Amino acid sequence: SESNNTIFTIDSLRDSLEKQEDFIVFCLIERARFPHNSPAYSSSSGGRRVMSSSSLAELFVRETEAIQAKFGRYQNPEELPFFPHDHTPIQAAAEAPPPFKFPQFLDPAASSVNVSRDIWNIYFGDLLQLITTDGDDGNYQQAAASDLVCLQALSKRIHYGRFVAEVKFRDSPSTYIPAIHAKDSETLTELVTSKAVEETVIERVKKKAEVFGQTVTVDTGGVSGVAMDVNATNTYKVDPSVASKLYAEWVIPLTKQVEVDYLLHRLD
Ligand SMILES: O=C(O)C(=O)C[C@]1(C(=O)O)C=C[C@@H](O)C=C1
C-alpha cells in the first residue's frame, strides 16, 4: 500500500546501510577465526563419489538457500539468493501465522538487477585470502557456514542499492529521466554519487574494524576496569585496511552499479 512507502527515505536507507556495516564487520571477524581451508573451495572430487562437481562451499550455500527459500527468505525484497530456487514457501499448518506482508516499494526494474556473480567472485577470489591465514584445519563445514553468512550480508547490502535508487528517483525524477532515456550509465553513475558520503562510509568501516576487532581483556588482579588492547594493526582480528578496501573497491562500486542498473530499467 502507498502508506508503506513513507518508511523509505534517503536518511532511513543510509541508516540501514550503517547498521548493516556492523554486521558485515562481525561476519568478517567470525570467518577470520578459521584458516583459509582451501579444499572447501575446490571443485575436484579427488576420486570420491560426490553429489556434483561443485565445491563444498558452493553446495552448502545452494542447499541452505533452498531450505531458506522454502521458509520464505526470498519473499523479502531485501534478499536475493545466489542460486535460483523454487521460491514457493512450504505449506505451513492451517493455524500458522500468515506470511509477513513486505512493503512493495521497488519498481519491477528490480528484477533486472543482480550482481550476485560479482559478489561471489570477489568474495572467494579476493576477500577470503585477505581476511584468513593460509592453512587447513579440516573443519570445512564451519568455514562454509561463516562464508554463507558473509555472502548473504554483503549481497543484502549491495542489492540495497535498488532501494536507494528508487528513493533517489522518486525524490527527483526529472534529474534522472533524461539519462535513463539516453541509456547513459556514465551520467547516471555521476548522479548517484556522493563523494562525501562515500568517504565517511569508508572511514567509518575502518574504525569499526578497529573497535570491534580488538581483544578485550579484563584485569583479574583485583583492580576494576576493562583494558582494551589498542596495539599495532596486526593484533586486530581483521585488518582495518582490508575492511576499508572491501568497501572502497568492491562494496560501494557494486552498490552504485546496482543503482545504475536499476535506474536504466526504471522507465521500462
Ligand atoms: O548513500 C548513498 O547515496 C548511496 O548511494 C550509497 C553509497 C554507498 O554504497 O555507501 C553509494 C553511492 C554514493 O556515492 C554514496 C554512498
Side-chain angles (χ1 to χ4, degrees):
S1 79
E2 200 56 32
S3 64
N4 279 328
N5 295 339
T6 57
I7 63 171
F8 295 109
T9 64
I10 190 66
D11 288 339
S12 74
L13 293 175
R14 283 181 178 153
D15 194 53
S16 170
L17 292 177
E18 187 173 338
K19 289 184 176 117
Q20 291 179 51
E21 269 164 31
D22 295 5
F23 187 56
I24 288 171
V25 172
F26 279 118
C27 289
L28 301 179
I29 289 172
E30 179 64 11
R31 179 58 185 87
R33 291 175 54 215
F34 317 114
H36 182 259
N37 284 346
S38 61
Y41 313 106
S42 109
S43 46
S44 80
S45 67
R48 281 168 293 134
R49 284 179 46 160
V50 291
M51 277 173 74
S52 76
S53 62
S54 310
S55 69
L56 182 143
E58 183 177 328
L59 271 180
F60 184 82
V61 172
R62 196 194 292 274
E63 296 296 314
T64 309
E65 278 190 345
I67 289 176
Q68 294 189 340
K70 285 186 189 164
F71 283 85
R73 182 182 181 100
Y74 304 109
Q75 306 297 110
N76 182 349
E78 295 179 355
E79 303 284 356
L80 266 187
F82 284 86
F83 299 98
H85 302 283
D86 175 5
H87 289 190
T88 315
I90 52 168
Q91 207 61 44
E95 63 275 16
F100 184 75
K101 280 208 172 57
F102 290 98
Q104 296 305 312
F105 176 70
L106 297 177
D107 184 82
S111 63
S112 49
V113 181
N114 191 324
V115 296
S116 298
R117 216 9 77 187
D118 302 271
I119 298 169
W120 184 275
N121 291 339
I122 286 165
Y123 182 80
F124 290 112
D126 299 287
L127 184 63
L128 203 47
Q129 288 77 356
L130 294 174
I131 60 170
T132 57
T133 54
D134 289 341
D136 182 353
D137 67 3
N139 194 344
Y140 309 133
Q141 191 284 328
Q142 189 166 246
S146 304
D147 292 330
L148 172 66
V149 182
C150 287
L151 284 167
Q152 288 181 329
L154 289 168
S155 176
K156 179 178 174 180
R157 195 285 177 199
I158 289 164
H159 288 113
Y160 232 68
R162 297 168 303 166
F163 291 80
V164 177
E166 179 63 21
V167 153
K168 287 179 178 173
F169 180 83
R170 289 194 195 190
D171 282 350
S172 179
S174 59
T175 308
Y176 294 95
I177 287 170
I180 294 171
H181 282 314
K183 299 190 192 312
D184 183 350
S185 2
E186 215 169 296
T187 300
L188 288 171
T189 305
E190 280 166 29
L191 288 172
V192 300
T193 297
S194 164
K195 270 285 156 217
V197 172
E198 290 185 19
E199 280 163 20
T200 305
V201 170
I202 293 164
E203 194 53 37
R204 194 173 57 214
V205 167
K206 185 163 182 250
K207 218 166 177 178
K208 285 181 181 177
E210 288 169 2
V211 172
F212 303 163
Q214 293 171 33
T215 302
V216 178
T217 53
V218 178
D219 188 344
T220 51
V223 187
S224 64
V226 176
M228 297 282 273
D229 213 0
V230 279
N231 296 329
T233 301
N234 62 11
T235 68
Y236 295 122
K237 292 167 185 168
V238 164
D239 183 349
S241 71
V242 169
S244 55
K245 177 188 168 79
L246 165 66
Y247 266 72
E249 292 186 18
W250 297 313
V251 170
I252 292 175
L254 281 175
T255 304
K256 283 159 70 161
Q257 190 184 320
V258 164
E259 291 184 43
V260 170
D261 289 349
Y262 181 93
L263 288 168
L264 284 170
H265 292 281
R266 183 58 179 75
L267 300 173
D268 287 359

